Amino acid sequence: MKFGVIRFPGTCDDTDAQLAAQRVGDAEILWHRDRDLKGVDAVVIPGGFSYGDYLRTGAIARFAPVMESVTEFAHAGGLVLGICNGFQILCEAGLLPGALLVNDNLRFVFRQVTLEVADRDTPFTRNCPPTLQIPVKHTSGRYYSPEPVQVVLRYAPGQNPNGSQDDIAGIINNAGNVFGLMPHPEHAVDALTGSTDGLTIFESIRAAVAERVPVA
Amino acid sequence: MRARVLIRPKAGILDPQGQAVERALPALGFSGVANVHVGRLVELDVQDSTQLEAMCERLLANPLVEDYEIIESA
């Protein structure tokens, strides 16, 4: 299978996301001004500071040409994974509900956290163990939604790093094909850096794609 | 036309920046300060001011978590 990893000006985790995806399949970079998704089976919107996070995190990136194609891809059922800034972009784009606000402690948080996988019946978590050790690194990760949402990942009790509502770390859309999370699975794929749990998310996607009818 | 758009966190949504400023002021000796909120100001020249609201809804503010106020001047 082939992953497409989107690169905006200001994206900084694209290379790690590509390297992580390449542990389970092919992965190529998709440029933000390019509308061609190059036939990828799944899209990864990686972390960073797209367009300098001007105005609000993700607010400008969602108008990039590539996001038109990603929106069509998502509406056709294609798998889309948004990590950190990618999660913020998906919320701004309306592909996921809610918003990500500045951390309640106003600090940049950077630490390994334990996550509880609240829903293992998704294309993104089917190969995950019940808990994951994955790092977070963000300043705007406080999830908020006035409506109930489909929670996939929660920070373990006492580990909420940002004041997120109901300890939410990751959510999925109602159709079950767009997943956003604040922690960084692409930074947890090598034992050298403390955990390989992030790999199980990429493996889940590979397994889900193998079973799916290709998206046009 | 010159316009100003004031954007602030919606009531009821935790505003840690406002809280931090509210705590900092007494530390500098300013007393009697309450209900501090920190938002953004966008200033712009527009030919058609009827578009301002749509601009706010679609880009300048996130209506889910922010209120906005449009102030037009001559």
Side-chain angles (χ1 to χ4, degrees):
Chain A
M1 73 160 288
K2 185 163 76 168
F3 290 85
V5 178
I6 297 178
R7 175 180 290 159
F8 298 99
T11 298
C12 63
D13 295 327
D14 41 336
T15 301
D16 269 22
Q18 185 181 23
L19 290 170
Q22 282 172 341
R23 288 175 181 255
V24 306
D26 295 330
E28 72 174 288
I29 297 291
L30 302 174
W31 183 235
H32 67 116
R33 295 190 61 84
D34 213 343
R35 285 185 170 80
D36 182 5
L37 296 186
K38 299 181 179 174
V40 299
D41 301 294
V43 169
V44 180
I45 310 180
F49 306 86
S50 57
Y51 297 91
D53 277 350
Y54 295 150
L55 202 61
R56 295 181 305 278
T57 55
I60 311 283
R62 74 150 163 135
F63 295 105
V66 74
M67 286 305 295
E68 289 176 28
S69 306
V70 170
T71 300
E72 284 172 23
F73 180 78
H75 287 157
L79 298 182
V80 179
L81 168 67
I83 303 166
C84 195
N85 191 220
F87 185 10
Q88 295 159 347
I89 292 168
L90 289 172
C91 288
E92 281 282 339
L95 290 171
L96 286 174
L100 291 142
L101 303 169
V102 172
N103 297 347
D104 63 352
N105 54 21
L106 289 177
R107 295 204 176 102
F108 175 78
V109 293
F110 181 24
R111 69 178 81 125
Q112 195 87 338
V113 292
T114 303
L115 301 169
E116 293 178 347
V117 185
D119 186 353
R120 291 162 75 191
D121 189 22
T122 82
F124 304 92
T125 52
R126 50 192 286 167
N127 288 31
C128 291
T131 63
L132 302 170
Q133 295 283 331
I134 289 184
V136 290
K137 48 160 198 170
H138 59 248
T139 306
S140 296
R142 176 167 49 109
Y143 184 77
Y144 166 82
S145 173
E147 307 291 332
V149 294
Q150 304 274 340
V151 180
V152 176
L153 298 176
R154 281 200 173 85
Y155 301 107
Q159 300 217 6
N160 186 335
N162 52 36
S164 188
Q165 174 182 317
D166 298 331
D167 296 330
I168 290 172
I171 61 161
I172 198 164
N173 64 341
N174 286 333
N177 66 309
V178 179
F179 173 45
L181 75 168
M182 285 312 298
H184 288 263
E186 81 281 17
H187 295 332
V189 298
D190 192 316
L192 182 68
T193 53
S195 169
T196 58
D197 290 351
L199 208 49
T200 61
I201 289 178
F202 291 92
E203 287 167 346
S204 297
I205 296 170
R206 178 182 60 185
V209 166
E211 280 180 16
R212 287 169 81 103
V213 177
V215 174
Chain B
M1 163 176 294
R2 190 73 177 154
R4 290 177 157 196
V5 179
L6 299 176
I7 298 151
R8 39 174 85 84
K10 263 192 197 300
I13 290 186
L14 179 69
D15 173 16
Q17 293 187 86
Q19 290 180 344
V21 173
E22 192 167 318
R23 285 194 301 269
L25 288 169
L28 293 172
F30 297 102
S31 59
V33 178
N35 295 319
V36 178
H37 290 287
V38 176
R40 289 193 306 280
L41 164 66
V42 180
E43 290 186 312
L44 63 170
D45 290 327
V46 286
Q47 291 184 339
D48 180 2
S49 63
T50 64
Q51 293 186 331
L52 280 167
E53 187 165 343
M55 291 179 196
C56 289
E57 290 285 330
R58 293 195 57 204
L59 178 62
L60 301 182
N62 181 345
L64 186 69
V65 289
E66 295 170 328
D67 288 327
Y68 59 86
E69 180 182 347
I70 298 167
I71 301 168
E72 296 176 29
S73 54

